[in-house]
PDB file of all heavy atoms in Angstrom:
ATOM      1  N   CYS A  17      -3.033  32.921  51.205  1.00 88.00           N
ATOM      2  CA  CYS A  17      -1.706  32.906  51.723  1.00 88.00           C
ATOM      3  C   CYS A  17      -1.327  34.242  52.313  1.00 88.00           C
ATOM      4  O   CYS A  17      -1.517  35.278  51.631  1.00 88.00           O
ATOM      5  CB  CYS A  17      -0.744  32.544  50.600  1.00 88.00           C
ATOM      6  SG  CYS A  17       1.010  32.387  51.087  1.00 88.00           S
ATOM      7  N   ALA A  19       1.719  34.684  54.020  1.00 82.00           N
ATOM      8  CA  ALA A  19       3.254  34.772  54.054  1.00 82.00           C
ATOM      9  C   ALA A  19       3.831  33.770  53.104  1.00 82.00           C
ATOM     10  O   ALA A  19       3.570  32.536  53.259  1.00 82.00           O
ATOM     11  CB  ALA A  19       3.768  34.618  55.437  1.00 82.00           C
ATOM     12  N   LYS A  20       4.622  34.248  52.124  1.00 82.00           N
ATOM     13  CA  LYS A  20       5.219  33.340  51.170  1.00 82.00           C
ATOM     14  C   LYS A  20       6.719  33.337  51.365  1.00 82.00           C
ATOM     15  O   LYS A  20       7.371  34.361  51.630  1.00 82.00           O
ATOM     16  CB  LYS A  20       4.930  33.826  49.788  1.00 82.00           C
ATOM     17  CG  LYS A  20       3.510  33.621  49.293  1.00 82.00           C
ATOM     18  CD  LYS A  20       3.385  34.000  47.811  1.00 82.00           C
ATOM     19  CE  LYS A  20       1.971  33.835  47.292  1.00 82.00           C
ATOM     20  NZ  LYS A  20       1.858  34.175  45.846  1.00 82.00           N
ATOM     21  N   PRO A  21       7.394  32.187  51.296  1.00 76.00           N
ATOM     22  CA  PRO A  21       8.818  32.071  51.408  1.00 76.00           C
ATOM     23  C   PRO A  21       9.512  32.638  50.184  1.00 76.00           C
ATOM     24  O   PRO A  21      10.659  33.081  50.277  1.00 76.00           O
ATOM     25  CB  PRO A  21       9.105  30.604  51.668  1.00 76.00           C
ATOM     26  CG  PRO A  21       7.941  29.923  50.976  1.00 76.00           C
ATOM     27  CD  PRO A  21       6.731  30.831  51.163  1.00 76.00           C
ATOM     28  N   HIS A  22       8.833  32.593  49.022  1.00 70.00           N
ATOM     29  CA  HIS A  22       9.394  32.999  47.835  1.00 70.00           C
ATOM     30  C   HIS A  22       8.324  33.651  46.973  1.00 70.00           C
ATOM     31  O   HIS A  22       7.170  33.243  46.967  1.00 70.00           O
ATOM     32  CB  HIS A  22       9.984  31.863  47.019  1.00 70.00           C
ATOM     33  CG  HIS A  22      10.895  30.975  47.771  1.00 70.00           C
ATOM     34  ND1 HIS A  22      12.104  31.345  48.174  1.00 70.00           N
ATOM     35  CD2 HIS A  22      10.742  29.689  48.198  1.00 70.00           C
ATOM     36  CE1 HIS A  22      12.692  30.392  48.874  1.00 70.00           C
ATOM     37  NE2 HIS A  22      11.846  29.368  48.885  1.00 70.00           N
ATOM     38  N   ASN A  23       8.672  34.706  46.231  1.00 65.00           N
ATOM     39  CA  ASN A  23       7.702  35.324  45.346  1.00 65.00           C
ATOM     40  C   ASN A  23       7.742  34.619  43.979  1.00 65.00           C
ATOM     41  O   ASN A  23       8.296  35.126  43.026  1.00 65.00           O
ATOM     42  CB  ASN A  23       8.018  36.824  45.182  1.00 65.00           C
ATOM     43  CG  ASN A  23       7.719  37.559  46.453  1.00 65.00           C
ATOM     44  OD1 ASN A  23       6.743  37.332  47.112  1.00 65.00           O
ATOM     45  ND2 ASN A  23       8.561  38.539  46.806  1.00 65.00           N
ATOM     46  N   THR A  24       7.140  33.469  43.899  1.00 73.00           N
ATOM     47  CA  THR A  24       7.182  32.681  42.724  1.00 73.00           C
ATOM     48  C   THR A  24       5.746  32.334  42.288  1.00 73.00           C
ATOM     49  O   THR A  24       4.831  32.321  43.083  1.00 73.00           O
ATOM     50  CB  THR A  24       7.996  31.352  42.903  1.00 73.00           C
ATOM     51  OG1 THR A  24       7.391  30.582  43.952  1.00 73.00           O
ATOM     52  CG2 THR A  24       9.438  31.692  43.175  1.00 73.00           C
ATOM     53  N   ALA A  25       5.587  31.994  41.051  1.00 74.00           N
ATOM     54  CA  ALA A  25       4.247  31.601  40.516  1.00 74.00           C
ATOM     55  C   ALA A  25       3.927  30.219  41.059  1.00 74.00           C
ATOM     56  O   ALA A  25       4.824  29.401  41.355  1.00 74.00           O
ATOM     57  CB  ALA A  25       4.275  31.555  39.018  1.00 74.00           C
ATOM     58  N   PRO A  26       2.659  29.855  41.183  1.00 80.00           N
ATOM     59  CA  PRO A  26       2.272  28.543  41.641  1.00 80.00           C
ATOM     60  C   PRO A  26       2.881  27.468  40.736  1.00 80.00           C
ATOM     61  O   PRO A  26       2.966  27.627  39.504  1.00 80.00           O
ATOM     62  CB  PRO A  26       0.784  28.492  41.488  1.00 80.00           C
ATOM     63  CG  PRO A  26       0.390  29.951  41.613  1.00 80.00           C
ATOM     64  CD  PRO A  26       1.478  30.718  40.939  1.00 80.00           C
ATOM     65  N   GLN A  35       8.597  18.157  43.704  1.00 96.00           N
ATOM     66  CA  GLN A  35       8.983  18.775  44.954  1.00 96.00           C
ATOM     67  C   GLN A  35       8.486  17.971  46.090  1.00 96.00           C
ATOM     68  O   GLN A  35       9.240  17.779  47.125  1.00 96.00           O
ATOM     69  CB  GLN A  35       8.408  20.231  45.036  1.00 96.00           C
ATOM     70  CG  GLN A  35       8.801  20.963  46.240  1.00 96.00           C
ATOM     71  CD  GLN A  35      10.343  21.174  46.405  1.00 96.00           C
ATOM     72  OE1 GLN A  35      10.897  21.895  45.576  1.00 96.00           O
ATOM     73  NE2 GLN A  35      10.950  20.540  47.374  1.00 96.00           N
ATOM     74  N   TRP A  39      10.893  16.170  48.959  1.00 97.00           N
ATOM     75  CA  TRP A  39      10.733  16.360  50.461  1.00 97.00           C
ATOM     76  C   TRP A  39      10.649  15.029  51.144  1.00 97.00           C
ATOM     77  O   TRP A  39      11.251  14.781  52.152  1.00 97.00           O
ATOM     78  CB  TRP A  39       9.558  17.271  50.733  1.00 97.00           C
ATOM     79  CG  TRP A  39       9.828  18.673  50.536  1.00 97.00           C
ATOM     80  CD1 TRP A  39      10.991  19.414  50.607  1.00 97.00           C
ATOM     81  CD2 TRP A  39       8.808  19.697  50.114  1.00 97.00           C
ATOM     82  NE1 TRP A  39      10.828  20.672  50.381  1.00 97.00           N
ATOM     83  CE2 TRP A  39       9.507  20.945  50.027  1.00 97.00           C
ATOM     84  CE3 TRP A  39       7.452  19.645  49.850  1.00 97.00           C
ATOM     85  CZ2 TRP A  39       8.876  22.096  49.643  1.00 97.00           C
ATOM     86  CZ3 TRP A  39       6.847  20.788  49.437  1.00 97.00           C
ATOM     87  CH2 TRP A  39       7.522  22.038  49.373  1.00 97.00           C
ATOM     88  N   LEU A  74       4.218  23.013  53.738  1.00 96.00           N
ATOM     89  CA  LEU A  74       5.538  22.371  53.652  1.00 96.00           C
ATOM     90  C   LEU A  74       6.606  23.363  53.140  1.00 96.00           C
ATOM     91  O   LEU A  74       7.807  23.234  53.457  1.00 96.00           O
ATOM     92  CB  LEU A  74       5.529  21.104  52.732  1.00 96.00           C
ATOM     93  CG  LEU A  74       4.639  19.983  53.256  1.00 96.00           C
ATOM     94  CD1 LEU A  74       4.644  18.840  52.276  1.00 96.00           C
ATOM     95  CD2 LEU A  74       5.077  19.501  54.659  1.00 96.00           C
ATOM     96  N   ASP A  75       6.202  24.286  52.251  1.00 94.00           N
ATOM     97  CA  ASP A  75       7.197  25.198  51.625  1.00 94.00           C
ATOM     98  C   ASP A  75       7.453  26.399  52.496  1.00 94.00           C
ATOM     99  O   ASP A  75       8.190  27.304  52.172  1.00 94.00           O
ATOM    100  CB  ASP A  75       6.763  25.560  50.236  1.00 94.00           C
ATOM    101  CG  ASP A  75       5.474  26.354  50.287  1.00 94.00           C
ATOM    102  OD1 ASP A  75       4.776  26.355  51.260  1.00 94.00           O
ATOM    103  OD2 ASP A  75       5.156  27.000  49.247  1.00 94.00           O
ATOM    104  N   GLY A  76       6.867  26.450  53.711  1.00 94.00           N
ATOM    105  CA  GLY A  76       6.997  27.563  54.594  1.00 94.00           C
ATOM    106  C   GLY A  76       5.964  28.617  54.483  1.00 94.00           C
ATOM    107  O   GLY A  76       5.917  29.576  55.297  1.00 94.00           O
ATOM    108  N   ALA A  77       5.091  28.552  53.486  1.00 94.00           N
ATOM    109  CA  ALA A  77       4.050  29.494  53.280  1.00 94.00           C
ATOM    110  C   ALA A  77       3.058  29.348  54.525  1.00 94.00           C
ATOM    111  O   ALA A  77       2.853  28.267  54.986  1.00 94.00           O
ATOM    112  CB  ALA A  77       3.276  29.266  51.986  1.00 94.00           C
ATOM    113  N   TYR A 126       0.909  22.728  48.783  1.00 95.00           N
ATOM    114  CA  TYR A 126       1.861  22.059  49.674  1.00 95.00           C
ATOM    115  C   TYR A 126       1.309  21.996  51.125  1.00 95.00           C
ATOM    116  O   TYR A 126       2.095  21.901  52.102  1.00 95.00           O
ATOM    117  CB  TYR A 126       3.159  22.825  49.664  1.00 95.00           C
ATOM    118  CG  TYR A 126       3.869  22.706  48.282  1.00 95.00           C
ATOM    119  CD1 TYR A 126       4.486  23.916  47.766  1.00 95.00           C
ATOM    120  CD2 TYR A 126       3.980  21.580  47.609  1.00 95.00           C
ATOM    121  CE1 TYR A 126       5.109  23.880  46.533  1.00 95.00           C
ATOM    122  CE2 TYR A 126       4.609  21.522  46.378  1.00 95.00           C
ATOM    123  CZ  TYR A 126       5.197  22.686  45.824  1.00 95.00           C
ATOM    124  OH  TYR A 126       5.887  22.645  44.623  1.00 95.00           O
TER     125      TYR A 126
END
Side-chain angles (χ1 to χ4, degrees):
C17 183
K20 290 184 178 181
H22 310 290
N23 291 320
T24 57
Q35 182 62 67
W39 283 329
L74 295 180
D75 63 345
Y126 296 135

